[in-house]
Amino acid sequence: MSDQSTPVAYTPKSLDLCSLQMVTTNDEWDITGINSAAITLAETVIRKAIDSATISEQYSISLDKDLDVHKEQIKSITTQQQIQIHFQQECSRQLSMILKGLKPTIQEAKLKITLYAHDTLKMQVDDENELTIPKDWSDQKEGCKLVEINRNDPIFIRIENCMKETLSNTKIEKIERVQNVRMWNHYSFRRRKLKEDFCDKSDLQIEMELFHGTRTTPPSEVYNGEYGFDITFSTSGMWGIGVYFAKNASYSCPSYAHKLSNGKCQAFLAQFLTGDVYDCPSNPKLRRPPKKIESISGLPYNSISGTTGG
């Protein structure tokens, strides 16, 4: 603390205009002010600002063995993201944890931890049928490949009939299957996890085929990407900010389809993991599926559904 002080002009600004990049791990403060009351007030305001920007979130992943080794790897990830982690009691094939830090860094850490778990399990269970690449993909050296389906193939006929249920006059130029190996690995692991979560609900449909149009976003941005239908490309809609899919082709095509320069349109028929669905009226303020009221753990629903335009 110096003997002389220099007056400065200070104008507060809201937290959302700040770039927060540092996490402090101790409670030692060095604050100078006019009097002790001002110092106390400043400390209170600073603590409230940090507390309001910090969240705690429970998260779990599936890992089979060597949990101590995995914990060290996950600690390394959270250290890089500058967040705190506390591991909870282990149960069968589940590693649960509490993540504490700024919301954006927690979301990034969850993504990296999930990718780590997926890649680890991929090496452990390469021979499990549910997780292997579909047989009709055959061998491919590329990470992502588009394969045109023959018009006489039962898959082509099934999809054509599905589209004509609500678009009777549509003409399908061609159907291409997206064969993205990494995306399939993530999808199949997540599907297996959902099956485990809902093993006591045998009648619950956790997987559907749904239509999706990308409008001005080229479909290649989706199928060449690492995460598929990325919320980065999303805007706010009747159920908030999210990625929207439709049961009926008449809703996604042609209104939301990607229009090519030759006048033709492209749209997706996506394999979609709905999980446990929360059905509700339109609510533009939604940002994520709500928590289940009956759940002791406070886990949220996996997706949201609603009805509009049929």
Side-chain angles (χ1 to χ4, degrees):
M1 187 179 299
S2 61
D3 295 331
Q4 297 180 349
S5 61
T6 302
V8 296
Y10 171 67
T11 302
K13 60 179 181 177
S14 60
L15 281 176
D16 57 359
L17 297 178
C18 298
S19 174
L20 304 178
Q21 298 179 334
M22 183 182 73
V23 174
T24 182
T25 56
N26 58 53
D27 288 328
E28 297 178 3
W29 302 84
D30 186 8
I31 302 174
T32 60
I34 299 174
N35 52 48
S36 60
I39 295 175
T40 302
L41 178 61
E43 181 180 353
T44 301
V45 172
I46 291 173
R47 289 186 182 278
K48 285 184 177 179
I50 294 175
D51 290 341
S52 66
T54 303
I55 65 171
S56 293
E57 189 165 328
Q58 185 174 357
Y59 192 56
S60 64
I61 53 175
S62 297
L63 288 169
D64 282 341
K65 53 186 178 180
D66 300 326
L67 291 183
D68 289 336
V69 175
H70 297 315
K71 285 181 179 179
E72 291 302 316
Q73 293 296 324
I74 293 172
K75 283 181 182 178
S76 177
I77 293 174
T78 56
T79 299
Q80 293 173 6
Q81 298 301 127
Q82 296 184 317
I83 63 175
Q84 299 175 21
I85 183 170
H86 300 285
F87 291 103
Q88 297 184 296
Q89 186 175 358
E90 301 162 8
C91 59
S92 177
R93 302 180 67 176
Q94 289 289 314
L95 183 58
S96 297
M97 63 204 77
I98 299 290
L99 303 174
K100 184 177 182 180
L102 299 178
K103 185 176 180 179
T105 56
I106 285 183
Q107 297 303 320
E108 184 68 17
K110 285 169 60 179
L111 175 60
K112 291 186 176 183
I113 292 171
T114 301
L115 291 177
Y116 167 77
H118 286 177
D119 290 340
T120 301
L121 284 175
K122 178 66 170 63
M123 292 185 289
Q124 294 176 354
V125 293
D126 233 359
D127 57 343
E128 292 189 22
N129 291 334
E130 187 178 4
L131 303 179
T132 54
I133 299 301
K135 292 180 180 179
D136 51 3
W137 283 26
S138 67
D139 294 328
Q140 69 178 62
K141 296 180 181 179
E142 307 93 329
C144 181
K145 182 179 180 181
L146 294 183
V147 176
E148 185 170 353
I149 299 176
N150 189 286
R151 301 189 74 90
N152 296 321
D153 191 300
I155 294 176
F156 189 105
I157 297 171
R158 178 178 62 79
I159 294 175
E160 183 178 43
N161 291 337
C162 182
M163 291 195 70
K164 289 191 173 183
E165 285 180 5
T166 55
L167 283 176
S168 58
N169 295 325
T170 190
K171 178 185 177 183
I172 298 180
E173 187 73 21
K174 65 177 177 179
I175 297 176
E176 293 175 303
R177 180 172 57 238
V178 176
Q179 299 183 178
N180 184 312
V181 176
R182 185 176 178 84
M183 200 181 297
W184 172 263
N185 288 337
H186 292 168
Y187 182 88
S188 58
F189 278 122
R190 182 60 181 156
R191 180 175 58 185
R192 188 179 73 168
K193 176 65 167 59
L194 284 175
K195 288 182 177 179
E196 292 175 357
D197 291 345
F198 303 121
C199 60
D200 58 336
K201 298 182 180 180
S202 57
D203 58 339
L204 180 65
Q205 182 183 8
I206 65 168
E207 189 174 21
M208 298 177 69
E209 283 189 335
L210 300 171
F211 291 98
H212 177 82
T214 61
R215 280 189 168 173
T216 57
T217 302
S220 57
E221 293 284 339
V222 176
Y223 62 70
N224 280 323
E226 190 170 336
Y227 310 113
F229 298 97
D230 194 337
I231 201 168
T232 302
F233 302 112
S234 301
T235 56
S236 184
M238 294 177 65
W239 283 267
I241 297 176
V243 185
Y244 286 72
F245 297 83
K247 281 187 176 182
N248 296 342
S250 59
Y251 191 88
S252 298
C253 324
S255 300
Y256 293 89
H258 179 70
K259 293 176 175 59
L260 302 174
S261 57
N262 60 8
K264 296 177 182 178
C265 299
Q266 291 180 320
F268 283 100
L269 178 63
Q271 275 182 264
F272 184 85
L273 293 173
T274 53
D276 202 356
V277 182
Y278 178 74
D279 190 82
C280 65
S282 173
N283 182 357
K285 295 182 179 180
L286 286 172
R287 291 296 178 268
R288 63 180 67 183
K291 291 184 177 181
K292 305 174 186 179
I293 297 176
E294 73 278 10
S295 174
I296 298 176
S297 63
L299 294 174
Y301 287 91
N302 303 109
S303 60
I304 294 172
S305 71
T307 302
T308 179

